[in-house]
PDB file of all heavy atoms in Angstrom:
ATOM      1  N   LEU A   1     -90.166   1.422 -33.319  1.00  0.00           N
ATOM      2  CA  LEU A   1     -89.313   2.361 -34.033  1.00  0.00           C
ATOM      3  C   LEU A   1     -88.919   3.550 -33.066  1.00  0.00           C
ATOM      4  O   LEU A   1     -87.772   4.021 -33.232  1.00  0.00           O
ATOM      5  CB  LEU A   1     -90.089   2.979 -35.164  1.00  0.00           C
ATOM      6  CG  LEU A   1     -90.576   1.944 -36.264  1.00  0.00           C
ATOM      7  CD1 LEU A   1     -91.397   2.630 -37.336  1.00  0.00           C
ATOM      8  CD2 LEU A   1     -89.390   1.171 -36.772  1.00  0.00           C
ATOM      9  N   MET A   2     -89.720   3.925 -32.231  1.00  0.00           N
ATOM     10  CA  MET A   2     -89.328   5.027 -31.207  1.00  0.00           C
ATOM     11  C   MET A   2     -88.208   4.484 -30.327  1.00  0.00           C
ATOM     12  O   MET A   2     -87.269   5.339 -30.064  1.00  0.00           O
ATOM     13  CB  MET A   2     -90.618   5.234 -30.332  1.00  0.00           C
ATOM     14  CG  MET A   2     -90.280   6.395 -29.335  1.00  0.00           C
ATOM     15  SD  MET A   2     -91.691   6.846 -28.258  1.00  0.00           S
ATOM     16  CE  MET A   2     -91.737   5.356 -27.230  1.00  0.00           C
ATOM     17  N   VAL A   3     -88.269   3.260 -29.840  1.00  0.00           N
ATOM     18  CA  VAL A   3     -87.336   2.771 -29.026  1.00  0.00           C
ATOM     19  C   VAL A   3     -85.935   2.717 -29.797  1.00  0.00           C
ATOM     20  O   VAL A   3     -84.920   2.986 -29.215  1.00  0.00           O
ATOM     21  CB  VAL A   3     -87.615   1.278 -28.486  1.00  0.00           C
ATOM     22  CG1 VAL A   3     -86.482   0.691 -27.598  1.00  0.00           C
ATOM     23  CG2 VAL A   3     -88.782   1.365 -27.488  1.00  0.00           C
ATOM     24  N   LEU A   4     -85.975   2.251 -31.074  1.00  0.00           N
ATOM     25  CA  LEU A   4     -84.735   2.200 -31.940  1.00  0.00           C
ATOM     26  C   LEU A   4     -84.113   3.578 -32.014  1.00  0.00           C
ATOM     27  O   LEU A   4     -82.937   3.660 -31.994  1.00  0.00           O
ATOM     28  CB  LEU A   4     -85.070   1.649 -33.244  1.00  0.00           C
ATOM     29  CG  LEU A   4     -85.324   0.118 -33.338  1.00  0.00           C
ATOM     30  CD1 LEU A   4     -85.800  -0.289 -34.682  1.00  0.00           C
ATOM     31  CD2 LEU A   4     -83.976  -0.630 -33.007  1.00  0.00           C
ATOM     32  N   VAL A   5     -84.954   4.686 -32.250  1.00  0.00           N
ATOM     33  CA  VAL A   5     -84.419   5.991 -32.359  1.00  0.00           C
ATOM     34  C   VAL A   5     -83.691   6.430 -31.064  1.00  0.00           C
ATOM     35  O   VAL A   5     -82.551   6.924 -31.223  1.00  0.00           O
ATOM     36  CB  VAL A   5     -85.470   6.931 -32.860  1.00  0.00           C
ATOM     37  CG1 VAL A   5     -84.984   8.341 -32.679  1.00  0.00           C
ATOM     38  CG2 VAL A   5     -85.955   6.591 -34.230  1.00  0.00           C
ATOM     39  N   PHE A   6     -84.338   6.217 -29.897  1.00  0.00           N
ATOM     40  CA  PHE A   6     -83.749   6.767 -28.735  1.00  0.00           C
ATOM     41  C   PHE A   6     -82.588   5.863 -28.384  1.00  0.00           C
ATOM     42  O   PHE A   6     -81.575   6.435 -27.776  1.00  0.00           O
ATOM     43  CB  PHE A   6     -84.814   6.685 -27.567  1.00  0.00           C
ATOM     44  CG  PHE A   6     -85.721   7.900 -27.525  1.00  0.00           C
ATOM     45  CD1 PHE A   6     -86.880   7.872 -28.121  1.00  0.00           C
ATOM     46  CD2 PHE A   6     -85.225   9.089 -26.939  1.00  0.00           C
ATOM     47  CE1 PHE A   6     -87.686   8.951 -28.139  1.00  0.00           C
ATOM     48  CE2 PHE A   6     -85.979  10.146 -26.885  1.00  0.00           C
ATOM     49  CZ  PHE A   6     -87.306  10.252 -27.516  1.00  0.00           C
ATOM     50  N   GLY A   7     -82.611   4.559 -28.617  1.00  0.00           N
ATOM     51  CA  GLY A   7     -81.411   3.751 -28.431  1.00  0.00           C
ATOM     52  C   GLY A   7     -80.216   4.139 -29.280  1.00  0.00           C
ATOM     53  O   GLY A   7     -79.161   4.185 -28.791  1.00  0.00           O
ATOM     54  N   SER A   8     -80.476   4.512 -30.533  1.00  0.00           N
ATOM     55  CA  SER A   8     -79.384   4.960 -31.471  1.00  0.00           C
ATOM     56  C   SER A   8     -78.785   6.207 -30.936  1.00  0.00           C
ATOM     57  O   SER A   8     -77.583   6.381 -30.821  1.00  0.00           O
ATOM     58  CB  SER A   8     -79.941   5.245 -32.822  1.00  0.00           C
ATOM     59  OG  SER A   8     -80.504   4.063 -33.336  1.00  0.00           O
ATOM     60  N   ILE A   9     -79.635   7.203 -30.493  1.00  0.00           N
ATOM     61  CA  ILE A   9     -79.095   8.482 -30.009  1.00  0.00           C
ATOM     62  C   ILE A   9     -78.280   8.306 -28.732  1.00  0.00           C
ATOM     63  O   ILE A   9     -77.212   8.914 -28.618  1.00  0.00           O
ATOM     64  CB  ILE A   9     -80.240   9.473 -29.811  1.00  0.00           C
ATOM     65  CG1 ILE A   9     -80.887   9.914 -31.168  1.00  0.00           C
ATOM     66  CG2 ILE A   9     -79.763  10.829 -29.113  1.00  0.00           C
ATOM     67  CD1 ILE A   9     -82.260  10.614 -31.029  1.00  0.00           C
ATOM     68  N   SER A  10     -78.827   7.486 -27.864  1.00  0.00           N
ATOM     69  CA  SER A  10     -78.121   7.285 -26.540  1.00  0.00           C
ATOM     70  C   SER A  10     -76.816   6.595 -26.744  1.00  0.00           C
ATOM     71  O   SER A  10     -75.809   6.857 -26.051  1.00  0.00           O
ATOM     72  CB  SER A  10     -79.053   6.413 -25.573  1.00  0.00           C
ATOM     73  OG  SER A  10     -80.183   7.150 -25.297  1.00  0.00           O
ATOM     74  N   SER A  11     -76.685   5.568 -27.661  1.00  0.00           N
ATOM     75  CA  SER A  11     -75.481   4.817 -27.826  1.00  0.00           C
ATOM     76  C   SER A  11     -74.443   5.714 -28.479  1.00  0.00           C
ATOM     77  O   SER A  11     -73.250   5.675 -27.977  1.00  0.00           O
ATOM     78  CB  SER A  11     -75.774   3.561 -28.687  1.00  0.00           C
ATOM     79  OG  SER A  11     -76.135   4.027 -29.974  1.00  0.00           O
ATOM     80  N   VAL A  12     -74.686   6.539 -29.264  1.00  0.00           N
ATOM     81  CA  VAL A  12     -73.690   7.339 -29.940  1.00  0.00           C
ATOM     82  C   VAL A  12     -73.253   8.530 -29.122  1.00  0.00           C
ATOM     83  O   VAL A  12     -72.084   8.713 -28.897  1.00  0.00           O
ATOM     84  CB  VAL A  12     -74.175   7.908 -31.353  1.00  0.00           C
ATOM     85  CG1 VAL A  12     -73.197   8.882 -31.999  1.00  0.00           C
ATOM     86  CG2 VAL A  12     -74.436   6.733 -32.378  1.00  0.00           C
ATOM     87  N   LEU A  13     -74.307   9.227 -28.560  1.00  0.00           N
ATOM     88  CA  LEU A  13     -73.846  10.400 -27.739  1.00  0.00           C
ATOM     89  C   LEU A  13     -73.244   9.997 -26.467  1.00  0.00           C
ATOM     90  O   LEU A  13     -72.359  10.632 -25.965  1.00  0.00           O
ATOM     91  CB  LEU A  13     -75.099  11.314 -27.558  1.00  0.00           C
ATOM     92  CG  LEU A  13     -75.651  12.028 -28.755  1.00  0.00           C
ATOM     93  CD1 LEU A  13     -76.828  12.938 -28.317  1.00  0.00           C
ATOM     94  CD2 LEU A  13     -74.594  12.863 -29.537  1.00  0.00           C
ATOM     95  N   GLY A  14     -73.640   8.871 -25.903  1.00  0.00           N
ATOM     96  CA  GLY A  14     -73.007   8.353 -24.674  1.00  0.00           C
ATOM     97  C   GLY A  14     -71.577   8.183 -24.765  1.00  0.00           C
ATOM     98  O   GLY A  14     -70.712   8.672 -23.971  1.00  0.00           O
ATOM     99  N   VAL A  15     -71.041   7.541 -25.946  1.00  0.00           N
ATOM    100  CA  VAL A  15     -69.634   7.348 -26.096  1.00  0.00           C
ATOM    101  C   VAL A  15     -69.090   8.557 -26.486  1.00  0.00           C
ATOM    102  O   VAL A  15     -67.857   8.805 -26.265  1.00  0.00           O
ATOM    103  CB  VAL A  15     -69.477   6.174 -27.045  1.00  0.00           C
ATOM    104  CG1 VAL A  15     -69.867   6.550 -28.505  1.00  0.00           C
ATOM    105  CG2 VAL A  15     -68.011   5.655 -26.995  1.00  0.00           C
ATOM    106  N   VAL A  16     -69.674   9.567 -27.208  1.00  0.00           N
ATOM    107  CA  VAL A  16     -68.992  10.795 -27.582  1.00  0.00           C
ATOM    108  C   VAL A  16     -68.735  11.524 -26.313  1.00  0.00           C
ATOM    109  O   VAL A  16     -67.594  12.212 -26.204  1.00  0.00           O
ATOM    110  CB  VAL A  16     -69.959  11.554 -28.591  1.00  0.00           C
ATOM    111  CG1 VAL A  16     -69.498  12.953 -28.765  1.00  0.00           C
ATOM    112  CG2 VAL A  16     -69.990  10.997 -29.880  1.00  0.00           C
ATOM    113  N   TYR A  17     -69.676  11.633 -25.398  1.00  0.00           N
ATOM    114  CA  TYR A  17     -69.423  12.294 -24.144  1.00  0.00           C
ATOM    115  C   TYR A  17     -68.327  11.767 -23.330  1.00  0.00           C
ATOM    116  O   TYR A  17     -67.430  12.419 -22.754  1.00  0.00           O
ATOM    117  CB  TYR A  17     -70.715  12.345 -23.255  1.00  0.00           C
ATOM    118  CG  TYR A  17     -71.816  13.201 -23.789  1.00  0.00           C
ATOM    119  CD1 TYR A  17     -73.161  12.789 -23.644  1.00  0.00           C
ATOM    120  CD2 TYR A  17     -71.646  14.482 -24.397  1.00  0.00           C
ATOM    121  CE1 TYR A  17     -74.270  13.569 -24.057  1.00  0.00           C
ATOM    122  CE2 TYR A  17     -72.623  15.211 -24.821  1.00  0.00           C
ATOM    123  CZ  TYR A  17     -73.987  14.765 -24.669  1.00  0.00           C
ATOM    124  OH  TYR A  17     -74.981  15.520 -25.119  1.00  0.00           O
ATOM    125  N   ALA A  18     -68.104  10.400 -23.412  1.00  0.00           N
ATOM    126  CA  ALA A  18     -67.188   9.675 -22.737  1.00  0.00           C
ATOM    127  C   ALA A  18     -65.835  10.020 -23.237  1.00  0.00           C
ATOM    128  O   ALA A  18     -64.824  10.064 -22.557  1.00  0.00           O
ATOM    129  CB  ALA A  18     -67.453   8.169 -22.725  1.00  0.00           C
ATOM    130  N   LEU A  19     -65.676  10.155 -24.372  1.00  0.00           N
ATOM    131  CA  LEU A  19     -64.368  10.527 -25.171  1.00  0.00           C
ATOM    132  C   LEU A  19     -63.697  11.829 -24.552  1.00  0.00           C
ATOM    133  O   LEU A  19     -62.511  11.870 -24.459  1.00  0.00           O
ATOM    134  CB  LEU A  19     -64.555  10.627 -26.596  1.00  0.00           C
ATOM    135  CG  LEU A  19     -64.492   9.431 -27.393  1.00  0.00           C
ATOM    136  CD1 LEU A  19     -65.011   9.661 -28.871  1.00  0.00           C
ATOM    137  CD2 LEU A  19     -63.094   8.751 -27.480  1.00  0.00           C
ATOM    138  N   HIS A  20     -64.536  12.762 -24.089  1.00  0.00           N
ATOM    139  CA  HIS A  20     -64.001  13.975 -23.501  1.00  0.00           C
ATOM    140  C   HIS A  20     -63.667  13.906 -21.965  1.00  0.00           C
ATOM    141  O   HIS A  20     -63.133  14.907 -21.487  1.00  0.00           O
ATOM    142  CB  HIS A  20     -64.981  15.046 -23.725  1.00  0.00           C
ATOM    143  CG  HIS A  20     -65.355  15.395 -25.203  1.00  0.00           C
ATOM    144  ND1 HIS A  20     -64.455  15.999 -26.040  1.00  0.00           N
ATOM    145  CD2 HIS A  20     -66.377  15.020 -26.004  1.00  0.00           C
ATOM    146  CE1 HIS A  20     -64.845  16.121 -27.214  1.00  0.00           C
ATOM    147  NE2 HIS A  20     -66.121  15.468 -27.300  1.00  0.00           N
ATOM    148  N   GLU A  21     -64.019  12.804 -21.352  1.00  0.00           N
ATOM    149  CA  GLU A  21     -63.726  12.659 -19.929  1.00  0.00           C
ATOM    150  C   GLU A  21     -62.313  12.348 -19.527  1.00  0.00           C
ATOM    151  O   GLU A  21     -61.648  11.459 -20.141  1.00  0.00           O
ATOM    152  CB  GLU A  21     -64.767  11.763 -19.372  1.00  0.00           C
ATOM    153  CG  GLU A  21     -66.100  12.296 -19.093  1.00  0.00           C
ATOM    154  CD  GLU A  21     -66.083  13.442 -18.119  1.00  0.00           C
ATOM    155  OE1 GLU A  21     -65.285  13.500 -17.303  1.00  0.00           O
ATOM    156  OE2 GLU A  21     -67.122  14.314 -18.211  1.00  0.00           O
ATOM    157  N   HIS A  22     -61.813  12.923 -18.413  1.00  0.00           N
ATOM    158  CA  HIS A  22     -60.562  12.528 -17.768  1.00  0.00           C
ATOM    159  C   HIS A  22     -60.798  11.841 -16.460  1.00  0.00           C
ATOM    160  O   HIS A  22     -59.951  11.243 -15.957  1.00  0.00           O
ATOM    161  CB  HIS A  22     -59.704  13.734 -17.659  1.00  0.00           C
ATOM    162  CG  HIS A  22     -59.222  14.401 -18.965  1.00  0.00           C
ATOM    163  ND1 HIS A  22     -58.358  13.766 -19.875  1.00  0.00           N
ATOM    164  CD2 HIS A  22     -59.666  15.572 -19.553  1.00  0.00           C
ATOM    165  CE1 HIS A  22     -58.257  14.637 -20.957  1.00  0.00           C
ATOM    166  NE2 HIS A  22     -59.062  15.673 -20.779  1.00  0.00           N
ATOM    167  N   ASP A  23     -61.952  12.078 -15.934  1.00  0.00           N
ATOM    168  CA  ASP A  23     -62.460  11.431 -14.741  1.00  0.00           C
ATOM    169  C   ASP A  23     -62.803   9.966 -15.006  1.00  0.00           C
ATOM    170  O   ASP A  23     -63.802   9.763 -15.818  1.00  0.00           O
ATOM    171  CB  ASP A  23     -63.548  12.243 -14.093  1.00  0.00           C
ATOM    172  CG  ASP A  23     -64.032  11.604 -12.711  1.00  0.00           C
ATOM    173  OD1 ASP A  23     -64.122  10.433 -12.495  1.00  0.00           O
ATOM    174  OD2 ASP A  23     -64.362  12.337 -11.738  1.00  0.00           O
ATOM    175  N   ILE A  24     -62.024   8.969 -14.537  1.00  0.00           N
ATOM    176  CA  ILE A  24     -62.403   7.631 -14.994  1.00  0.00           C
ATOM    177  C   ILE A  24     -63.701   7.146 -14.630  1.00  0.00           C
ATOM    178  O   ILE A  24     -64.471   6.333 -15.325  1.00  0.00           O
ATOM    179  CB  ILE A  24     -61.238   6.660 -14.451  1.00  0.00           C
ATOM    180  CG1 ILE A  24     -61.331   5.323 -15.124  1.00  0.00           C
ATOM    181  CG2 ILE A  24     -61.344   6.549 -12.893  1.00  0.00           C
ATOM    182  CD1 ILE A  24     -60.138   4.418 -14.954  1.00  0.00           C
ATOM    183  N   LYS A  25     -64.280   7.521 -13.452  1.00  0.00           N
ATOM    184  CA  LYS A  25     -65.575   7.068 -13.026  1.00  0.00           C
ATOM    185  C   LYS A  25     -66.693   7.780 -13.917  1.00  0.00           C
ATOM    186  O   LYS A  25     -67.678   7.200 -14.261  1.00  0.00           O
ATOM    187  CB  LYS A  25     -65.949   7.254 -11.600  1.00  0.00           C
ATOM    188  CG  LYS A  25     -65.051   6.337 -10.715  1.00  0.00           C
ATOM    189  CD  LYS A  25     -65.405   6.384  -9.184  1.00  0.00           C
ATOM    190  CE  LYS A  25     -66.733   5.867  -8.962  1.00  0.00           C
ATOM    191  NZ  LYS A  25     -67.018   5.847  -7.439  1.00  0.00           N
ATOM    192  N   ARG A  26     -66.512   9.110 -14.239  1.00  0.00           N
ATOM    193  CA  ARG A  26     -67.429   9.703 -15.147  1.00  0.00           C
ATOM    194  C   ARG A  26     -67.474   9.123 -16.574  1.00  0.00           C
ATOM    195  O   ARG A  26     -68.543   9.008 -17.181  1.00  0.00           O
ATOM    196  CB  ARG A  26     -67.246  11.188 -15.140  1.00  0.00           C
ATOM    197  CG  ARG A  26     -67.666  11.966 -13.956  1.00  0.00           C
ATOM    198  CD  ARG A  26     -67.207  13.441 -14.013  1.00  0.00           C
ATOM    199  NE  ARG A  26     -67.713  14.108 -15.145  1.00  0.00           N
ATOM    200  CZ  ARG A  26     -68.886  14.729 -15.147  1.00  0.00           C
ATOM    201  NH1 ARG A  26     -69.659  14.731 -14.046  1.00  0.00           N
ATOM    202  NH2 ARG A  26     -69.373  15.446 -16.236  1.00  0.00           N
ATOM    203  N   LEU A  27     -66.286   8.755 -16.984  1.00  0.00           N
ATOM    204  CA  LEU A  27     -66.102   8.108 -18.241  1.00  0.00           C
ATOM    205  C   LEU A  27     -66.902   6.896 -18.307  1.00  0.00           C
ATOM    206  O   LEU A  27     -67.637   6.492 -19.279  1.00  0.00           O
ATOM    207  CB  LEU A  27     -64.637   7.849 -18.595  1.00  0.00           C
ATOM    208  CG  LEU A  27     -64.256   7.084 -19.845  1.00  0.00           C
ATOM    209  CD1 LEU A  27     -62.900   7.585 -20.362  1.00  0.00           C
ATOM    210  CD2 LEU A  27     -64.233   5.623 -19.644  1.00  0.00           C
ATOM    211  N   LEU A  28     -66.838   6.033 -17.318  1.00  0.00           N
ATOM    212  CA  LEU A  28     -67.560   4.679 -17.227  1.00  0.00           C
ATOM    213  C   LEU A  28     -69.021   5.013 -17.169  1.00  0.00           C
ATOM    214  O   LEU A  28     -69.857   4.294 -17.602  1.00  0.00           O
ATOM    215  CB  LEU A  28     -67.077   3.957 -16.028  1.00  0.00           C
ATOM    216  CG  LEU A  28     -65.643   3.399 -16.157  1.00  0.00           C
ATOM    217  CD1 LEU A  28     -65.289   2.728 -14.814  1.00  0.00           C
ATOM    218  CD2 LEU A  28     -65.416   2.444 -17.308  1.00  0.00           C
ATOM    219  N   ALA A  29     -69.512   6.096 -16.413  1.00  0.00           N
ATOM    220  CA  ALA A  29     -70.917   6.422 -16.330  1.00  0.00           C
ATOM    221  C   ALA A  29     -71.395   6.779 -17.612  1.00  0.00           C
ATOM    222  O   ALA A  29     -72.568   6.328 -18.035  1.00  0.00           O
ATOM    223  CB  ALA A  29     -71.051   7.497 -15.371  1.00  0.00           C
ATOM    224  N   TYR A  30     -70.725   7.558 -18.485  1.00  0.00           N
ATOM    225  CA  TYR A  30     -71.239   7.803 -19.840  1.00  0.00           C
ATOM    226  C   TYR A  30     -71.223   6.573 -20.745  1.00  0.00           C
ATOM    227  O   TYR A  30     -72.111   6.552 -21.562  1.00  0.00           O
ATOM    228  CB  TYR A  30     -70.317   8.973 -20.527  1.00  0.00           C
ATOM    229  CG  TYR A  30     -70.622  10.244 -20.154  1.00  0.00           C
ATOM    230  CD1 TYR A  30     -69.643  11.089 -19.566  1.00  0.00           C
ATOM    231  CD2 TYR A  30     -71.961  10.794 -20.378  1.00  0.00           C
ATOM    232  CE1 TYR A  30     -69.941  12.506 -19.281  1.00  0.00           C
ATOM    233  CE2 TYR A  30     -72.199  12.081 -20.088  1.00  0.00           C
ATOM    234  CZ  TYR A  30     -71.338  12.858 -19.471  1.00  0.00           C
ATOM    235  OH  TYR A  30     -71.669  14.247 -19.208  1.00  0.00           O
ATOM    236  N   HIS A  31     -70.348   5.699 -20.457  1.00  0.00           N
ATOM    237  CA  HIS A  31     -70.426   4.438 -21.298  1.00  0.00           C
ATOM    238  C   HIS A  31     -71.629   3.601 -20.787  1.00  0.00           C
ATOM    239  O   HIS A  31     -72.143   2.698 -21.549  1.00  0.00           O
ATOM    240  CB  HIS A  31     -69.127   3.566 -21.009  1.00  0.00           C
ATOM    241  CG  HIS A  31     -68.135   3.919 -21.974  1.00  0.00           C
ATOM    242  ND1 HIS A  31     -68.260   3.642 -23.376  1.00  0.00           N
ATOM    243  CD2 HIS A  31     -66.937   4.676 -21.779  1.00  0.00           C
ATOM    244  CE1 HIS A  31     -67.065   4.100 -23.963  1.00  0.00           C
ATOM    245  NE2 HIS A  31     -66.347   4.797 -23.062  1.00  0.00           N
ATOM    246  N   SER A  32     -72.230   3.764 -19.574  1.00  0.00           N
ATOM    247  CA  SER A  32     -73.471   3.110 -19.215  1.00  0.00           C
ATOM    248  C   SER A  32     -74.602   3.705 -20.011  1.00  0.00           C
ATOM    249  O   SER A  32     -75.528   2.986 -20.500  1.00  0.00           O
ATOM    250  CB  SER A  32     -73.769   3.403 -17.713  1.00  0.00           C
ATOM    251  OG  SER A  32     -72.859   2.665 -16.916  1.00  0.00           O
ATOM    252  N   VAL A  33     -74.598   4.983 -20.317  1.00  0.00           N
ATOM    253  CA  VAL A  33     -75.561   5.629 -21.293  1.00  0.00           C
ATOM    254  C   VAL A  33     -75.438   5.038 -22.545  1.00  0.00           C
ATOM    255  O   VAL A  33     -76.477   4.658 -23.283  1.00  0.00           O
ATOM    256  CB  VAL A  33     -75.408   7.149 -21.359  1.00  0.00           C
ATOM    257  CG1 VAL A  33     -76.426   7.666 -22.389  1.00  0.00           C
ATOM    258  CG2 VAL A  33     -75.565   7.860 -20.116  1.00  0.00           C
ATOM    259  N   GLU A  34     -74.306   4.784 -23.160  1.00  0.00           N
ATOM    260  CA  GLU A  34     -74.004   4.178 -24.387  1.00  0.00           C
ATOM    261  C   GLU A  34     -74.570   2.721 -24.479  1.00  0.00           C
ATOM    262  O   GLU A  34     -75.222   2.382 -25.405  1.00  0.00           O
ATOM    263  CB  GLU A  34     -72.524   4.045 -24.682  1.00  0.00           C
ATOM    264  CG  GLU A  34     -72.134   3.233 -25.846  1.00  0.00           C
ATOM    265  CD  GLU A  34     -70.825   2.415 -25.625  1.00  0.00           C
ATOM    266  OE1 GLU A  34     -69.974   2.830 -24.785  1.00  0.00           O
ATOM    267  OE2 GLU A  34     -70.666   1.370 -26.284  1.00  0.00           O
ATOM    268  N   ASN A  35     -74.314   1.968 -23.479  1.00  0.00           N
ATOM    269  CA  ASN A  35     -74.617   0.529 -23.384  1.00  0.00           C
ATOM    270  C   ASN A  35     -76.199   0.305 -23.202  1.00  0.00           C
ATOM    271  O   ASN A  35     -76.782  -0.590 -23.696  1.00  0.00           O
ATOM    272  CB  ASN A  35     -73.889  -0.177 -22.407  1.00  0.00           C
ATOM    273  CG  ASN A  35     -72.486  -0.643 -23.012  1.00  0.00           C
ATOM    274  OD1 ASN A  35     -72.385  -1.619 -23.660  1.00  0.00           O
ATOM    275  ND2 ASN A  35     -71.564   0.209 -22.760  1.00  0.00           N
ATOM    276  N   ILE A  36     -76.784   1.203 -22.453  1.00  0.00           N
ATOM    277  CA  ILE A  36     -78.265   1.168 -22.377  1.00  0.00           C
ATOM    278  C   ILE A  36     -78.805   1.371 -23.806  1.00  0.00           C
ATOM    279  O   ILE A  36     -79.853   0.838 -24.187  1.00  0.00           O
ATOM    280  CB  ILE A  36     -78.632   2.296 -21.282  1.00  0.00           C
ATOM    281  CG1 ILE A  36     -78.483   1.851 -19.977  1.00  0.00           C
ATOM    282  CG2 ILE A  36     -80.274   2.594 -21.551  1.00  0.00           C
ATOM    283  CD1 ILE A  36     -79.188   0.669 -19.508  1.00  0.00           C
ATOM    284  N   GLY A  37     -78.181   2.343 -24.640  1.00  0.00           N
ATOM    285  CA  GLY A  37     -78.665   2.547 -25.859  1.00  0.00           C
ATOM    286  C   GLY A  37     -78.544   1.236 -26.781  1.00  0.00           C
ATOM    287  O   GLY A  37     -79.448   0.954 -27.542  1.00  0.00           O
ATOM    288  N   ILE A  38     -77.448   0.578 -26.608  1.00  0.00           N
ATOM    289  CA  ILE A  38     -77.194  -0.692 -27.289  1.00  0.00           C
ATOM    290  C   ILE A  38     -78.301  -1.608 -26.995  1.00  0.00           C
ATOM    291  O   ILE A  38     -78.957  -2.457 -27.836  1.00  0.00           O
ATOM    292  CB  ILE A  38     -75.797  -1.237 -27.073  1.00  0.00           C
ATOM    293  CG1 ILE A  38     -74.764  -0.278 -27.702  1.00  0.00           C
ATOM    294  CG2 ILE A  38     -75.716  -2.621 -27.632  1.00  0.00           C
ATOM    295  CD1 ILE A  38     -73.339  -0.678 -27.361  1.00  0.00           C
ATOM    296  N   ILE A  39     -78.614  -1.869 -25.704  1.00  0.00           N
ATOM    297  CA  ILE A  39     -79.623  -2.775 -25.183  1.00  0.00           C
ATOM    298  C   ILE A  39     -80.998  -2.343 -25.806  1.00  0.00           C
ATOM    299  O   ILE A  39     -81.836  -3.171 -26.225  1.00  0.00           O
ATOM    300  CB  ILE A  39     -79.704  -2.781 -23.669  1.00  0.00           C
ATOM    301  CG1 ILE A  39     -78.363  -3.305 -23.115  1.00  0.00           C
ATOM    302  CG2 ILE A  39     -80.879  -3.542 -23.195  1.00  0.00           C
ATOM    303  CD1 ILE A  39     -78.272  -3.134 -21.592  1.00  0.00           C
ATOM    304  N   LEU A  40     -81.278  -1.101 -25.831  1.00  0.00           N
ATOM    305  CA  LEU A  40     -82.564  -0.587 -26.440  1.00  0.00           C
ATOM    306  C   LEU A  40     -82.613  -0.898 -27.881  1.00  0.00           C
ATOM    307  O   LEU A  40     -83.702  -0.935 -28.419  1.00  0.00           O
ATOM    308  CB  LEU A  40     -82.783   0.951 -26.199  1.00  0.00           C
ATOM    309  CG  LEU A  40     -82.971   1.293 -24.740  1.00  0.00           C
ATOM    310  CD1 LEU A  40     -83.212   2.854 -24.651  1.00  0.00           C
ATOM    311  CD2 LEU A  40     -84.365   0.676 -24.245  1.00  0.00           C
ATOM    312  N   LEU A  41     -81.514  -0.960 -28.610  1.00  0.00           N
ATOM    313  CA  LEU A  41     -81.601  -1.334 -30.008  1.00  0.00           C
ATOM    314  C   LEU A  41     -82.080  -2.813 -30.225  1.00  0.00           C
ATOM    315  O   LEU A  41     -82.878  -3.091 -31.026  1.00  0.00           O
ATOM    316  CB  LEU A  41     -80.184  -1.321 -30.589  1.00  0.00           C
ATOM    317  CG  LEU A  41     -79.487   0.119 -30.774  1.00  0.00           C
ATOM    318  CD1 LEU A  41     -78.171  -0.015 -31.408  1.00  0.00           C
ATOM    319  CD2 LEU A  41     -80.505   1.015 -31.518  1.00  0.00           C
ATOM    320  N   GLY A  42     -81.671  -3.725 -29.254  1.00  0.00           N
ATOM    321  CA  GLY A  42     -82.303  -5.043 -29.294  1.00  0.00           C
ATOM    322  C   GLY A  42     -83.745  -5.056 -28.947  1.00  0.00           C
ATOM    323  O   GLY A  42     -84.555  -5.730 -29.529  1.00  0.00           O
TER     324      GLY A  42
END
């Protein structure tokens, strides 16, 4: 359950941070936070 909670938070906030980026490499880095969250959901 703890892993699910941290995975949920990381996936949503990671992509939210990415939406505000204009630097393409920083945008992709924030999407790594998002996808780590998705993996943690599994």
Side-chain angles (χ1 to χ4, degrees):
L1 299 181
M2 180 182 73
V3 174
L4 284 174
V5 169
F6 278 97
S8 301
I9 294 170
S10 297
S11 63
V12 174
L13 291 185
V15 72
V16 167
Y17 290 143
L19 276 167
H20 295 284
E21 280 297 333
H22 299 289
D23 182 320
I24 192 165
K25 289 185 71 176
R26 281 174 62 89
L27 179 147
L28 293 175
Y30 275 122
H31 274 287
S32 291
V33 177
E34 169 220 338
N35 279 275
I36 285 295
I38 293 173
I39 294 168
L40 286 178
L41 294 181

